[in-house]
Amino acid sequence: LEDDSESAAFAIKREDHTCMLHIKHGNPLSSQSKDGASGLVVWTNEACDLTVNDVSKDVLTAGGMPFTQDLSTLPAIMETEWGPVKVGTGEALMVGPKAYGTLSASFVILAVSPLSPSNDDDDWDKDSNRDEDALHFLDMTLRSSYRSSFGKINTGAMASVVIPMITTRERGEAYERSLRVSLQSIIDEAKFSNLKHVHLVANSPAEATKLIKMVLGMGLACTGTA
């Protein structure tokens, strides 16, 4: 691989099969796989409001009326002054399987991390939030959101899944930590799944290059471009 590669595929090996990790940047909807039952992770908020950022808006539009109807029937687990909570931070829920409009994924996993689904958090890199307790909370809750998402993936017996990156704003220590925690969580969870493919979609070419370098540093074998 060249030092500035923006696309790569890696083999996550298990005793009984290999899961391929594909890394590139772009629109998550263009990365969907048709290899068996497939899923799409959508980062959202506790109200599962998919109108708050461009990616989730695209998913909402592509999913059409069947997807909108399934979202509307999700029960609230708590009522707050800001509205209903349908899934807690660090957790995920799943809708499907169903033919959702033009989505190739038959399952959609709605996941809530400690970060904004718009990838524009910058509070984590402010001095008041850079203590180890705060960063530990970020790490643990982010891992929990991936663990919960993969629990749904395993329940759906999916062969492939598309996961857009969830990060802070692209700067500072918290950004680097969010990338590394996400990568390690995905690799660890994929080893205990029946997935054949994980499509990890970066937010920019530079982020894709950074992720590829991190995976190489973790010792995974590169098999080519994604």
Side-chain angles (χ1 to χ4, degrees), residues 136-159:
H136 179 68
F137 172 80
L138 172 62
D139 293 352
M140 296 302 293
T141 314
L142 188 54
R143 285 193 187 100
S144 176
S145 61
Y146 280 106
R147 189 177 305 114
S148 183
S149 297
F150 272 85
K152 307 305 179 187
I153 290 165
N154 294 336
T155 297
M158 298 174 208

Side-chain angles (χ1 to χ4, degrees), residues 86 178 194:
K86 297 185 177 181
S178 65
N194 291 316

Side-chain angles (χ1 to χ4, degrees), residues 95-129:
V95 294
K98 188 178 287 186
Y100 288 126
T102 59
L103 291 177
S104 65
S106 53
F107 295 93
V108 178
I109 299 104
L110 304 166
V112 180
S113 87
L115 302 172
S116 164
S118 300
N119 293 323
D120 57 2
D121 267 341
D122 57 11
D123 285 346
W124 294 97
D125 278 312
K126 292 180 179 177
D127 289 341
S128 60
N129 285 332

Side-chain angles (χ1 to χ4, degrees), residues 6 16 23 35 63 80 90 100 113 125 135 146 203 207 213 226:
E6 300 171 3
D16 52 347
I23 299 175
D35 184 11
T80 72
Y100 288 126
S113 87
D125 278 312
L135 292 174
Y146 280 106
N203 296 300
E207 184 172 283
K213 289 180 178 179

Side-chain angles (χ1 to χ4, degrees), residues 51 77 123 155 193 204:
T51 66
I77 59 175
D123 285 346
T155 297
S193 74
S204 67

